[in-house]
Amino acid sequence: MDITNFVVSARNQALLYGDYNTYHRQLAKKLHNSRKRLNIVTKNRGKFTKKDAVTAEKLAENHEYLHLQLLTAERAWAHAMRFKAVHSADTKRITGRTRSHIISRLDKGARAAEHLVEVLSDSSTSGASDTDILEARAYASLLRGATQFEKQSWEPCLRSYATARIIYTALSTSMKGDVFKDLLSETIDPSIRYAAYQSKVPRTLAIPTIARKAFPSSDLALVEQINKLAPDLLKKSGSDAQKGQVGAPNAPQTITWRSREVKIEDAAIAIALASTDTATAHLAEKLASSDVILPKEMAAAYDEVLIASQDAADATKRAIDELKEEGVSQNDPRIQSLQITRTAVNYQMISWRIGRNRVLSGEHDGALLDSAPTTTRKAKKDASSRKPKVEPTGRKISRLKDKVVLYDSTLQSIDSIKELPGVAADEGLLEQLNATAKYFHALKSLAIARSHSLINQSLNALALTKHAFDECEQSAAFFSKHGASSSESSPLNIEIRQSDIQFLHNLLKGELQRCRAIVEIDNLRQKTTNTTPPEARSPLVQRLFEYPAGGADLTRLVDFPPKVDPIPVKPLFFDVAWNYIDYPGKAPTAAPVSEEKPAEPAQPQKRGWFGFGR
């Protein structure tokens, strides 16, 4: 029969482009069409007669009676939600006739859904399965819980929502889809949390534990049906505070921050921290395996732990906001404990974010200038067998810019840690953060220095390298004195390893000597060019293939007066000039005399009249 999907899909489809008023009109039209199909509709201008109630026999003959009951209950719920949406902007609470009308509409819907449960319970006549009965029971409990929520009857409300949650959780184990998960996360869980708060239930209990305790275990038939789907759902094993929820049995009870241990009183924070610990273990396994070899794959492995850390930070902030709304002062021990927890979980989240940036930077935090980085598995595999590819200068500078962006992001993250509560008063932590910031400042200066070196600006490269060396020396001095707390096998985070600091220090020491040598060579070349006298230089016409870096010497364009310079010639020129050159030992020959013929007198040219030719 698929009751839950019928209700949820209708709600989502209507509320996607409209509001509760649109949904109410659509339900009224669907209900009228359903009555037409069942031939029980009241004719136009006809007298209204009360229809007979839906029975199991009618439902077995035509399943349209199931839709009739569901549409009736949904129309009443949508009517109540429409009134709540209209008065949601009111500064005062909904009171008087409006509140009574909302409660009556919700009660009508709950009664229609409960009548459907009674009809379906006669499974031998109606032909309903256990799943259909459970879905109808959960839907009826959901509407009844909404009614009691508006009545502010918190214990019955908690019991109804707990019944709906347990049933939907059991159904989600046997049925695929996110329909039940959406109902739990968006509607049921927030209502259970608020009703538990109003019922003075301790915050240390998780929502699944609260639902299990509030579930009516006296209903043996319902308990038996749930045990068929999820045998372990209603069982209690261990302490509720330790259990937390199904799937998180090792939720921590305390958190340690800077040698100060704080008890975790909020179950949501404990569950989020347990998820963070699990994600951290998975991250270590992924990085240790041979499947993750590329920087992008290693950075993608950090996504799970980053999401879990963000959830822990959000849960802590939510708990603090709830206490502030209750009027609890800042000096209250609960607020103080939550502030310490907030600092710890935010520090952890930012630490993993910095670790992801370090992985993207490359080996040794990007200290090496990779000539041809491998971005695919095939390139990584064939890198050792093929000849290294030399990148163009523009590509190298572009890669250095990407590293500088990562270093800037890391430095901003370190600055955000200093703004967390209690960090400014911790001198030891501030010194450690400053030393870490100097380490990344050194890496950033080194990357910029290399970009200047690639465009032949040796003086700028030397100044930046010297600055990077000084920053690294100060950072190395701090960590050598206090020791690096990160191990070599743990995933990268904000903690700096001693080997990375030592590697960067040695690299910058060599780079500094190299830059000094390049600057000294450039100075010697410039000095040689300046000390050469103009007379010793060749004229400009003979140096056209050279670019005049210091400007063209216009005082000596050519040699004037020109000098006779020897030029190389080929023997062919001497062979051609054999008859015209007097060589020693060669007898002179007389030039041949040409015979001259007597000149003939020129004949007069005949002309016509007036000198024109004919």
Side-chain angles (χ1 to χ4, degrees):
M1 296 181 182
D2 205 1
I3 297 173
T4 307
N5 192 29
F6 178 82
V7 173
V8 173
S9 60
R11 289 183 183 182
N12 293 340
Q13 186 178 2
L15 298 178
L16 183 62
Y17 300 105
D19 52 6
Y20 290 110
N21 190 21
T22 305
Y23 186 40
H24 182 258
R25 290 199 303 267
Q26 290 182 0
L27 288 171
K29 188 179 295 184
K30 289 180 180 179
L31 188 60
H32 182 71
N33 294 333
S34 178
R35 286 172 178 165
K36 275 186 177 181
R37 286 190 289 270
L38 295 172
N39 199 20
I40 57 174
V41 65
T42 302
K43 296 182 180 180
N44 190 18
R45 296 183 181 276
K47 185 178 180 180
F48 174 77
T49 56
K50 187 176 181 181
K51 305 299 185 294
D52 297 334
V54 177
T55 60
E57 291 79 8
K58 292 181 179 180
L59 187 61
E61 293 176 1
N62 192 347
H63 283 180
E64 190 64 32
Y65 283 101
L66 172 70
H67 297 164
L68 179 67
Q69 286 295 108
L70 290 176
L71 291 172
T72 303
E74 274 294 287
R75 185 182 66 167
W77 177 84
H79 196 182
M81 292 298 105
R82 187 186 72 172
F83 275 97
K84 285 192 69 174
V86 169
H87 294 276
S88 61
D90 294 348
T91 55
K92 298 181 180 179
R93 293 182 178 180
I94 301 175
T95 57
R97 298 179 61 184
T98 304
R99 180 170 177 268
S100 301
H101 190 61
I102 291 173
I103 293 174
S104 68
R105 294 297 90 194
L106 291 174
D107 184 66
K108 179 181 178 181
R111 282 188 280 108
E114 288 167 355
H115 178 68
L116 179 62
V117 174
E118 294 177 3
V119 172
L120 292 176
S121 297
D122 188 4
S123 57
S124 59
T125 306
S126 63
S129 62
D130 292 341
T131 303
D132 298 332
I133 298 173
L134 284 176
E135 285 191 65
R137 180 69 181 271
Y139 177 64
S141 299
L142 193 64
L143 293 184
R144 181 56 65 186
T147 305
Q148 292 158 347
F149 191 94
E150 294 298 328
K151 288 182 179 180
Q152 298 182 3
S153 302
W154 302 117
E155 290 186 4
C157 172
L158 187 59
R159 191 181 309 114
S160 298
Y161 276 121
T163 304
R165 192 188 196 283
I166 293 294
I167 294 175
Y168 282 134
T169 305
L171 290 173
S172 63
T173 60
S174 60
M175 300 175 63
K176 296 181 179 179
D178 297 333
V179 177
F180 302 117
K181 294 180 181 179
D182 294 340
L183 273 175
L184 291 175
S185 61
E186 296 176 4
T187 306
I188 299 177
D189 286 354
S191 302
I192 289 178
R193 175 59 68 187
Y194 189 79
Y197 165 72
Q198 293 292 344
S199 301
K200 308 299 181 182
V201 176
R203 294 177 181 270
T204 54
L205 295 180
I207 291 177
T209 305
I210 297 172
R212 187 170 61 247
K213 287 188 173 183
F215 181 77
S217 302
S218 57
D219 192 344
L220 299 179
L222 180 60
V223 171
E224 184 181 356
Q225 289 178 339
I226 291 174
N227 287 333
K228 289 180 182 179
L229 297 176
D232 299 331
L233 187 58
L234 296 176
K235 292 181 180 179
K236 299 181 181 180
S237 58
S239 175
D240 291 334
Q242 293 179 352
K243 188 70 180 175
Q245 69 170 5
V246 177
N250 298 322
Q253 294 182 341
T254 59
I255 185 172
T256 304
W257 167 250
R258 304 292 295 173
S259 70
R260 184 172 180 179
E261 191 175 20
V262 176
K263 185 178 180 181
I264 301 175
E265 298 180 353
D266 196 304
I269 300 174
I271 294 169
L273 289 176
S275 302
T276 304
D277 295 339
T278 305
T280 304
H282 290 168
L283 173 63
E285 292 176 2
K286 287 182 181 179
L287 296 181
S289 64
S290 59
D291 297 336
V292 181
I293 55 178
L294 300 179
K296 289 185 178 179
E297 294 177 349
M298 297 172 69
Y302 278 79
D303 291 344
E304 184 180 356
V305 69
L306 283 173
I307 292 173
S309 302
Q310 184 65 56
D311 291 342
D314 294 341
T316 309
K317 184 178 182 301
R318 196 180 307 116
I320 294 175
D321 293 341
E322 289 176 358
L323 288 179
K324 287 182 178 179
E325 289 176 0
E326 295 174 16
V328 180
S329 63
Q330 292 288 340
N331 298 327
D332 192 273
R334 292 176 294 173
I335 291 286
Q336 296 295 327
S337 299
L338 285 174
Q339 291 290 3
I340 296 173
T341 306
R342 180 186 179 187
T343 302
V345 296
N346 278 281
Y347 179 85
Q348 189 179 25
M349 179 189 65
I350 297 172
S351 175
W352 290 122
R353 192 185 301 163
I354 292 174
R356 185 177 184 274
N357 290 342
R358 294 179 65 185
V359 167
L360 286 173
S361 300
E363 191 177 0
H364 296 290
D365 298 325
L368 297 175
L369 181 62
D370 300 328
S371 58
T374 53
T375 56
T376 61
R377 289 181 173 270
K378 184 177 180 181
K380 184 83 174 178
K381 186 177 180 181
D382 300 339
S384 58
S385 59
R386 291 189 297 179
K387 187 177 179 181
K389 180 182 176 182
V390 179
E391 285 185 321
T393 304
R395 178 60 181 163
K396 290 181 180 179
I397 294 177
S398 177
R399 285 177 48 77
L400 290 171
K401 285 182 179 179
D402 295 340
K403 288 184 180 180
V404 170
V405 171
L406 290 173
Y407 297 145
D408 282 334
S409 176
T410 301
L411 292 171
Q412 290 176 4
S413 299
I414 294 175
D415 291 339
S416 65
I417 292 177
K418 297 178 182 179
E419 298 175 359
L420 293 175
V423 175
D426 194 338
E427 295 182 359
L429 181 59
L430 278 179
E431 291 179 359
Q432 180 182 346
L433 292 176
N434 290 333
T436 306
K438 288 180 180 179
Y439 172 77
F440 287 104
H441 268 300
L443 288 169
K444 178 183 175 182
S445 300
L446 175 61
I448 300 175
R450 280 173 171 164
S451 64
H452 282 277
S453 179
L454 289 173
I455 58 177
N456 297 324
Q457 294 183 0
S458 55
L459 282 175
N460 294 343
L462 175 60
L464 288 166
T465 306
K466 181 64 170 63
H467 176 69
F469 181 74
D470 294 340
E471 293 284 322
C472 182
E473 239 182 0
Q474 297 176 16
S475 178
F478 174 83
F479 285 109
S480 61
K481 181 180 179 181
H482 295 83
S485 58
S486 179
S487 61
E488 298 293 333
S489 59
S490 61
L492 291 178
N493 51 18
I494 194 174
E495 304 293 338
I496 308 298
R497 300 171 181 171
Q498 191 66 36
S499 58
D500 293 335
I501 301 174
Q502 193 63 36
F503 179 85
L504 181 61
H505 185 269
N506 296 335
L507 179 66
L508 285 172
K509 190 174 181 181
E511 284 289 325
L512 184 59
Q513 298 301 327
R514 173 178 167 274
C515 291
R516 284 174 176 170
I518 292 175
V519 171
E520 185 65 23
I521 291 172
D522 291 344
N523 290 338
L524 290 175
R525 286 176 180 173
Q526 186 69 22
K527 191 180 296 183
T528 303
T529 304
N530 295 335
T531 55
T532 304
E535 297 80 9
R537 301 176 191 172
S538 56
L540 183 62
V541 71
Q542 297 181 8
R543 294 184 287 109
L544 295 178
F545 58 88
E546 295 179 0
Y547 178 75
D553 185 9
L554 302 179
T555 60
R556 192 180 180 191
L557 300 177
V558 295
D559 283 334
F560 188 82
K563 299 178 182 179
V564 179
D565 295 329
I567 60 173
V569 294
K570 295 182 179 180
L572 179 62
F573 295 152
F574 292 99
D575 295 342
V576 172
W578 173 263
N579 296 327
Y580 302 97
I581 299 175
D582 294 335
Y583 291 95
K586 180 182 176 183
T589 56
V593 180
S594 60
E595 297 180 358
E596 297 182 358
K597 297 181 180 180
E600 297 180 358
Q603 297 180 0
Q605 187 177 2
K606 295 181 181 181
R607 296 181 178 274
W609 296 94
F610 305 107
F612 296 102
R614 289 194 285 179

